[in-house]
Amino acid sequence: MGKIISVANQKGGVGKTTTAINLAACLALAGRKVLIVDIDPQGNASSGLGINLSDNKKGIYELLSGDASLDQVIYSTDIDTLKVIPSNVDLAGAEIELVGRDQREKILSTVLKGVDSEFEFVIIDCPPSLGLLTLNALTISKSVLIPMQCEYYALQGLTHLLKTIKRVKKSINSRLKVEGIILTMYDSRTLLAEQVESQVRKYFSEFLMKTIIPRNIRLSEAPSHGKPIVLYASRSKGSDSYVALAQEIIQRTKNEIMKKKKQQIESVV
């Protein structure tokens, strides 16, 4: 079974979509079969991979509303092993439409049923809120990757998000865990970045990823060209950092599988 990871943070401008796009691309280029699901009405993950929904194309909104099947909304990208379910502004009304439906927090789980048997990694780019769309993502996910910009306000939002994840795990999805906190837009020249990193290590060290994403102009430019950083500027620091993050995620996943197999063997013995 594949691993479904939500990339989430209720605060905007923290590098959430940048992380979703580039992690997915780097996992794909590492030989993994990857699907990125864009459930942000802004559709930035879609356009960042060169996918723009026209009037006659269907995406995640149509899938959630029952007007399209899963195979109708999966699109190819410039990377053979990377597919995307795109989004656009139509999704903005989905949260209102989903409110009155039965088991509204499990609708995404229903429409994506079986997708983790086709893909090794499913990366969900969540909207910058803790609304119904994000709740749906957390309900189907195995883990949550939290991009965090190196500023003090981000620490406050982090505490809130971790509490939300804990509540979802207790009430809806018992397997949900924190994949990790990834520091983004890190500028080693500033004292603030070092101070925030120090605070995160002090209070959230169990979740902190080893990889740190630097502030990098190439990362900012890549989306306007509809390409992930590994295709737009493969020799940049931004590219190197996301390649490292992908390898870290792959290794963590291997360790989880080995641990699970060991537990299964021990239970039999």
Side-chain angles (χ1 to χ4, degrees):
M1 297 293 284
K3 186 175 186 178
I4 302 178
I5 304 174
S6 280
V7 182
N9 193 320
Q10 75 273 26
K11 189 177 184 302
V14 299
K16 177 183 58 61
T17 297
T18 296
T19 294
I21 291 173
N22 292 299
L23 171 59
C26 290
L27 288 170
L29 287 174
R32 271 57 183 182
K33 193 175 180 183
V34 184
L35 174 68
I36 182 165
V37 183
D38 187 356
I39 63 165
D40 186 344
Q42 297 177 88
N44 290 335
S46 305
S47 61
L49 289 170
I51 306 295
N52 291 287
L53 288 181
S54 58
D55 292 337
N56 62 339
K57 291 184 178 180
K58 297 181 178 181
I60 190 66
Y61 173 74
E62 287 77 16
L63 183 64
L64 290 170
S65 60
D67 294 327
S69 61
L70 185 58
D71 63 317
Q72 289 179 307
V73 299
I74 296 179
Y75 295 81
S76 298
T77 71
D78 290 337
I79 301 173
D80 290 340
T81 53
L82 175 61
K83 308 296 182 183
V84 58
I85 298 180
S87 170
N88 62 15
V89 70
D90 290 343
L91 190 60
E95 292 204 67
I96 298 173
E97 296 173 11
L98 294 176
V99 167
R101 292 174 61 176
D102 293 336
Q103 294 189 308
R104 57 191 181 184
E105 74 282 357
K106 296 182 179 180
I107 295 171
L108 187 62
S109 299
T110 300
V111 299
L112 292 181
K113 186 175 181 180
V115 76
D116 55 345
S117 64
E118 298 181 39
F119 295 91
E120 293 175 75
F121 289 96
V122 178
I123 307 297
I124 304 177
D125 183 35
C126 298
S129 70
L130 294 178
L132 191 51
L133 288 172
T134 298
L135 179 59
N136 266 263
L138 297 181
T139 299
I140 192 178
S141 295
K142 184 175 181 180
S143 63
V144 187
L145 180 63
I146 307 171
M148 179 182 155
Q149 187 177 359
C150 294
E151 61 175 40
Y152 279 117
Y153 287 124
L155 287 168
Q156 298 174 349
L158 179 59
T159 300
H160 187 195
L161 179 56
L162 290 174
K163 287 181 179 178
T164 298
I165 292 171
K166 187 175 181 180
R167 286 196 295 268
V168 171
K169 180 173 183 174
K170 184 177 181 181
S171 60
I172 303 174
N173 180 5
S174 60
R175 69 174 186 169
L176 184 66
K177 69 180 186 69
V178 176
E179 183 71 36
I181 298 168
I182 175 77
L183 296 179
T184 62
M185 305 180 196
Y186 187 88
D187 189 343
S188 59
R189 298 170 299 177
T190 67
L191 179 60
L192 177 59
E194 294 181 5
Q195 290 175 335
V196 172
E197 180 187 0
S198 176
Q199 289 294 302
V200 175
R201 289 192 184 281
K202 181 178 180 180
Y203 295 106
F204 306 104
S205 59
E206 62 182 304
F207 301 130
L208 190 60
M209 304 293 289
K210 295 177 182 178
T211 306
I212 293 177
I213 309 300
R215 188 175 292 279
N216 181 253
I217 188 63
R218 294 299 189 189
L219 279 174
S220 301
E221 294 173 349
S224 65
H225 295 269
K227 294 180 180 294
I229 188 64
V230 285
L231 295 185
Y232 175 68
S234 61
R235 296 186 178 182
S236 65
K237 290 183 178 179
S239 178
D240 291 344
S241 63
Y242 276 110
V243 168
L245 177 61
Q247 290 301 319
E248 190 173 353
I249 295 290
I250 289 170
Q251 189 58 54
R252 281 181 174 226
T253 304
K254 286 181 179 178
N255 292 343
E256 290 168 2
I257 294 172
M258 292 298 295
K259 183 178 180 181
K260 187 175 182 180
K261 287 183 178 178
K262 183 178 179 181
Q263 289 174 339
Q264 290 174 339
I265 294 172
E266 290 176 347
S267 66
V268 172
V269 176

PDB file of all heavy atoms in Angstrom, residues 1 4 23 30 42 69 73 79 109 117 131 139 166 199 233 239 247 250 254 257 262:
ATOM      1  N   MET A   1       0.830  -1.202   0.000  1.00  0.00           N
ATOM      2  CA  MET A   1       0.000   0.000   0.000  1.00  0.00           C
ATOM      3  C   MET A   1       0.864   1.251   0.000  1.00  0.00           C
ATOM      4  O   MET A   1       1.907   1.299   0.645  1.00  0.00           O
ATOM      5  CB  MET A   1      -0.901   0.007   1.240  1.00  0.00           C
ATOM      6  CG  MET A   1      -1.895  -1.139   1.301  1.00  0.00           C
ATOM      7  SD  MET A   1      -3.155  -1.055   0.015  1.00  0.00           S
ATOM      8  CE  MET A   1      -4.197   0.231   0.675  1.00  0.00           C
ATOM      9  N   ILE A   4      -0.030   7.998   1.992  1.00  0.00           N
ATOM     10  CA  ILE A   4      -0.719   9.256   1.709  1.00  0.00           C
ATOM     11  C   ILE A   4      -0.266  10.301   2.715  1.00  0.00           C
ATOM     12  O   ILE A   4      -0.407  10.118   3.931  1.00  0.00           O
ATOM     13  CB  ILE A   4      -2.249   9.085   1.772  1.00  0.00           C
ATOM     14  CG1 ILE A   4      -2.703   8.002   0.777  1.00  0.00           C
ATOM     15  CG2 ILE A   4      -2.949  10.410   1.472  1.00  0.00           C
ATOM     16  CD1 ILE A   4      -4.191   7.718   0.803  1.00  0.00           C
ATOM     17  N   LEU A  23       8.427  18.125  -3.438  1.00  0.00           N
ATOM     18  CA  LEU A  23       8.595  16.817  -2.809  1.00  0.00           C
ATOM     19  C   LEU A  23       8.054  15.741  -3.741  1.00  0.00           C
ATOM     20  O   LEU A  23       8.715  14.714  -3.965  1.00  0.00           O
ATOM     21  CB  LEU A  23       7.853  16.778  -1.468  1.00  0.00           C
ATOM     22  CG  LEU A  23       7.772  15.395  -0.804  1.00  0.00           C
ATOM     23  CD1 LEU A  23       9.158  14.837  -0.529  1.00  0.00           C
ATOM     24  CD2 LEU A  23       6.955  15.472   0.488  1.00  0.00           C
ATOM     25  N   ALA A  30      12.999   9.956  -8.156  1.00  0.00           N
ATOM     26  CA  ALA A  30      13.743   8.920  -7.433  1.00  0.00           C
ATOM     27  C   ALA A  30      13.198   7.529  -7.759  1.00  0.00           C
ATOM     28  O   ALA A  30      13.605   6.541  -7.149  1.00  0.00           O
ATOM     29  CB  ALA A  30      13.665   9.174  -5.930  1.00  0.00           C
ATOM     30  N   GLN A  42      -7.066  27.671  -4.748  1.00  0.00           N
ATOM     31  CA  GLN A  42      -6.176  28.541  -5.507  1.00  0.00           C
ATOM     32  C   GLN A  42      -5.534  27.821  -6.695  1.00  0.00           C
ATOM     33  O   GLN A  42      -5.095  28.460  -7.652  1.00  0.00           O
ATOM     34  CB  GLN A  42      -5.083  29.101  -4.585  1.00  0.00           C
ATOM     35  CG  GLN A  42      -5.622  29.970  -3.464  1.00  0.00           C
ATOM     36  CD  GLN A  42      -4.514  30.429  -2.532  1.00  0.00           C
ATOM     37  OE1 GLN A  42      -3.886  31.447  -2.752  1.00  0.00           O
ATOM     38  NE2 GLN A  42      -4.278  29.669  -1.477  1.00  0.00           N
ATOM     39  N   SER A  69     -15.287  10.593 -12.652  1.00  0.00           N
ATOM     40  CA  SER A  69     -14.666   9.424 -12.029  1.00  0.00           C
ATOM     41  C   SER A  69     -13.181   9.699 -11.806  1.00  0.00           C
ATOM     42  O   SER A  69     -12.623  10.644 -12.374  1.00  0.00           O
ATOM     43  CB  SER A  69     -14.847   8.198 -12.919  1.00  0.00           C
ATOM     44  OG  SER A  69     -14.229   8.414 -14.179  1.00  0.00           O
ATOM     45  N   VAL A  73      -9.929  12.457 -13.886  1.00  0.00           N
ATOM     46  CA  VAL A  73      -9.338  13.666 -13.292  1.00  0.00           C
ATOM     47  C   VAL A  73      -7.846  13.532 -13.008  1.00  0.00           C
ATOM     48  O   VAL A  73      -7.241  14.415 -12.417  1.00  0.00           O
ATOM     49  CB  VAL A  73     -10.078  14.065 -11.995  1.00  0.00           C
ATOM     50  CG1 VAL A  73     -11.536  14.367 -12.295  1.00  0.00           C
ATOM     51  CG2 VAL A  73      -9.962  12.984 -10.919  1.00  0.00           C
ATOM     52  N   ILE A  79       6.986  14.779 -15.783  1.00  0.00           N
ATOM     53  CA  ILE A  79       7.693  13.632 -15.208  1.00  0.00           C
ATOM     54  C   ILE A  79       6.792  12.409 -15.357  1.00  0.00           C
ATOM     55  O   ILE A  79       5.648  12.414 -14.875  1.00  0.00           O
ATOM     56  CB  ILE A  79       8.039  13.869 -13.725  1.00  0.00           C
ATOM     57  CG1 ILE A  79       8.910  15.118 -13.586  1.00  0.00           C
ATOM     58  CG2 ILE A  79       8.753  12.651 -13.130  1.00  0.00           C
ATOM     59  CD1 ILE A  79       9.169  15.526 -12.145  1.00  0.00           C
ATOM     60  N   SER A 109     -11.927  10.442   1.085  1.00  0.00           N
ATOM     61  CA  SER A 109     -11.540   9.040   1.251  1.00  0.00           C
ATOM     62  C   SER A 109     -12.330   8.144   0.315  1.00  0.00           C
ATOM     63  O   SER A 109     -11.796   7.201  -0.278  1.00  0.00           O
ATOM     64  CB  SER A 109     -11.771   8.589   2.699  1.00  0.00           C
ATOM     65  OG  SER A 109     -11.010   9.336   3.601  1.00  0.00           O
ATOM     66  N   SER A 117      -3.117   2.020  -3.688  1.00  0.00           N
ATOM     67  CA  SER A 117      -2.637   0.749  -4.222  1.00  0.00           C
ATOM     68  C   SER A 117      -2.008   0.940  -5.602  1.00  0.00           C
ATOM     69  O   SER A 117      -1.293   0.068  -6.094  1.00  0.00           O
ATOM     70  CB  SER A 117      -3.782  -0.268  -4.316  1.00  0.00           C
ATOM     71  OG  SER A 117      -4.763   0.168  -5.240  1.00  0.00           O
ATOM     72  N   GLY A 131     -10.323  24.017   7.541  1.00  0.00           N
ATOM     73  CA  GLY A 131     -11.722  23.791   7.215  1.00  0.00           C
ATOM     74  C   GLY A 131     -12.007  22.363   6.790  1.00  0.00           C
ATOM     75  O   GLY A 131     -11.205  21.447   6.991  1.00  0.00           O
ATOM     76  N   THR A 139      -8.290  12.998   7.167  1.00  0.00           N
ATOM     77  CA  THR A 139      -9.026  11.753   7.387  1.00  0.00           C
ATOM     78  C   THR A 139      -8.485  10.613   6.544  1.00  0.00           C
ATOM     79  O   THR A 139      -8.469   9.456   6.978  1.00  0.00           O
ATOM     80  CB  THR A 139     -10.525  11.964   7.074  1.00  0.00           C
ATOM     81  OG1 THR A 139     -11.051  12.971   7.950  1.00  0.00           O
ATOM     82  CG2 THR A 139     -11.318  10.684   7.264  1.00  0.00           C
ATOM     83  N   LYS A 166      -4.113  15.976  16.543  1.00  0.00           N
ATOM     84  CA  LYS A 166      -4.354  15.081  17.675  1.00  0.00           C
ATOM     85  C   LYS A 166      -5.838  14.759  17.810  1.00  0.00           C
ATOM     86  O   LYS A 166      -6.220  13.613  18.067  1.00  0.00           O
ATOM     87  CB  LYS A 166      -3.825  15.735  18.959  1.00  0.00           C
ATOM     88  CG  LYS A 166      -3.870  14.826  20.175  1.00  0.00           C
ATOM     89  CD  LYS A 166      -3.223  15.508  21.381  1.00  0.00           C
ATOM     90  CE  LYS A 166      -3.238  14.582  22.593  1.00  0.00           C
ATOM     91  NZ  LYS A 166      -2.598  15.239  23.769  1.00  0.00           N
ATOM     92  N   GLN A 199      13.964  27.308  18.821  1.00  0.00           N
ATOM     93  CA  GLN A 199      12.708  27.098  19.552  1.00  0.00           C
ATOM     94  C   GLN A 199      11.996  25.825  19.089  1.00  0.00           C
ATOM     95  O   GLN A 199      11.459  25.066  19.907  1.00  0.00           O
ATOM     96  CB  GLN A 199      11.784  28.311  19.362  1.00  0.00           C
ATOM     97  CG  GLN A 199      12.248  29.571  20.078  1.00  0.00           C
ATOM     98  CD  GLN A 199      12.211  29.422  21.591  1.00  0.00           C
ATOM     99  OE1 GLN A 199      11.166  29.140  22.177  1.00  0.00           O
ATOM    100  NE2 GLN A 199      13.356  29.614  22.224  1.00  0.00           N
ATOM    101  N   ALA A 233      15.556  24.352 -12.304  1.00  0.00           N
ATOM    102  CA  ALA A 233      16.931  24.721 -11.909  1.00  0.00           C
ATOM    103  C   ALA A 233      17.510  23.604 -11.056  1.00  0.00           C
ATOM    104  O   ALA A 233      17.584  23.703  -9.830  1.00  0.00           O
ATOM    105  CB  ALA A 233      16.927  26.046 -11.145  1.00  0.00           C
ATOM    106  N   SER A 239      16.716  23.077  -5.294  1.00  0.00           N
ATOM    107  CA  SER A 239      16.588  21.731  -5.838  1.00  0.00           C
ATOM    108  C   SER A 239      17.280  20.709  -4.941  1.00  0.00           C
ATOM    109  O   SER A 239      16.714  19.660  -4.613  1.00  0.00           O
ATOM    110  CB  SER A 239      17.193  21.680  -7.241  1.00  0.00           C
ATOM    111  OG  SER A 239      17.119  20.371  -7.775  1.00  0.00           O
ATOM    112  N   GLN A 247      14.554  12.069  -0.171  1.00  0.00           N
ATOM    113  CA  GLN A 247      15.321  10.921   0.311  1.00  0.00           C
ATOM    114  C   GLN A 247      15.045  10.652   1.780  1.00  0.00           C
ATOM    115  O   GLN A 247      14.990   9.493   2.219  1.00  0.00           O
ATOM    116  CB  GLN A 247      16.818  11.159   0.080  1.00  0.00           C
ATOM    117  CG  GLN A 247      17.224  11.134  -1.379  1.00  0.00           C
ATOM    118  CD  GLN A 247      16.894   9.819  -2.067  1.00  0.00           C
ATOM    119  OE1 GLN A 247      17.071   8.743  -1.497  1.00  0.00           O
ATOM    120  NE2 GLN A 247      16.409   9.908  -3.296  1.00  0.00           N
ATOM    121  N   ILE A 250      11.673   8.938   1.918  1.00  0.00           N
ATOM    122  CA  ILE A 250      11.814   7.556   1.451  1.00  0.00           C
ATOM    123  C   ILE A 250      12.416   6.680   2.538  1.00  0.00           C
ATOM    124  O   ILE A 250      11.947   5.565   2.800  1.00  0.00           O
ATOM    125  CB  ILE A 250      12.675   7.505   0.172  1.00  0.00           C
ATOM    126  CG1 ILE A 250      11.900   8.092  -1.009  1.00  0.00           C
ATOM    127  CG2 ILE A 250      13.113   6.064  -0.141  1.00  0.00           C
ATOM    128  CD1 ILE A 250      12.744   8.300  -2.261  1.00  0.00           C
ATOM    129  N   LYS A 254      10.748   3.484   4.512  1.00  0.00           N
ATOM    130  CA  LYS A 254      11.383   2.166   4.572  1.00  0.00           C
ATOM    131  C   LYS A 254      11.492   1.684   6.013  1.00  0.00           C
ATOM    132  O   LYS A 254      11.223   0.514   6.316  1.00  0.00           O
ATOM    133  CB  LYS A 254      12.780   2.230   3.944  1.00  0.00           C
ATOM    134  CG  LYS A 254      12.795   2.322   2.436  1.00  0.00           C
ATOM    135  CD  LYS A 254      14.224   2.357   1.915  1.00  0.00           C
ATOM    136  CE  LYS A 254      14.270   2.426   0.405  1.00  0.00           C
ATOM    137  NZ  LYS A 254      15.680   2.505  -0.107  1.00  0.00           N
ATOM    138  N   ILE A 257       8.141   0.493   7.275  1.00  0.00           N
ATOM    139  CA  ILE A 257       7.779  -0.814   6.733  1.00  0.00           C
ATOM    140  C   ILE A 257       8.533  -1.926   7.447  1.00  0.00           C
ATOM    141  O   ILE A 257       7.955  -2.962   7.808  1.00  0.00           O
ATOM    142  CB  ILE A 257       8.062  -0.853   5.212  1.00  0.00           C
ATOM    143  CG1 ILE A 257       7.131   0.117   4.476  1.00  0.00           C
ATOM    144  CG2 ILE A 257       7.890  -2.271   4.669  1.00  0.00           C
ATOM    145  CD1 ILE A 257       7.459   0.288   3.004  1.00  0.00           C
ATOM    146  N   LYS A 262       8.637  -6.371  11.378  1.00  0.00           N
ATOM    147  CA  LYS A 262       9.236  -6.944  12.577  1.00  0.00           C
ATOM    148  C   LYS A 262       8.171  -7.203  13.640  1.00  0.00           C
ATOM    149  O   LYS A 262       8.163  -8.249  14.295  1.00  0.00           O
ATOM    150  CB  LYS A 262      10.299  -5.992  13.133  1.00  0.00           C
ATOM    151  CG  LYS A 262      11.035  -6.530  14.351  1.00  0.00           C
ATOM    152  CD  LYS A 262      12.108  -5.543  14.822  1.00  0.00           C
ATOM    153  CE  LYS A 262      12.814  -6.085  16.061  1.00  0.00           C
ATOM    154  NZ  LYS A 262      13.858  -5.120  16.554  1.00  0.00           N
TER     155      LYS A 262
END
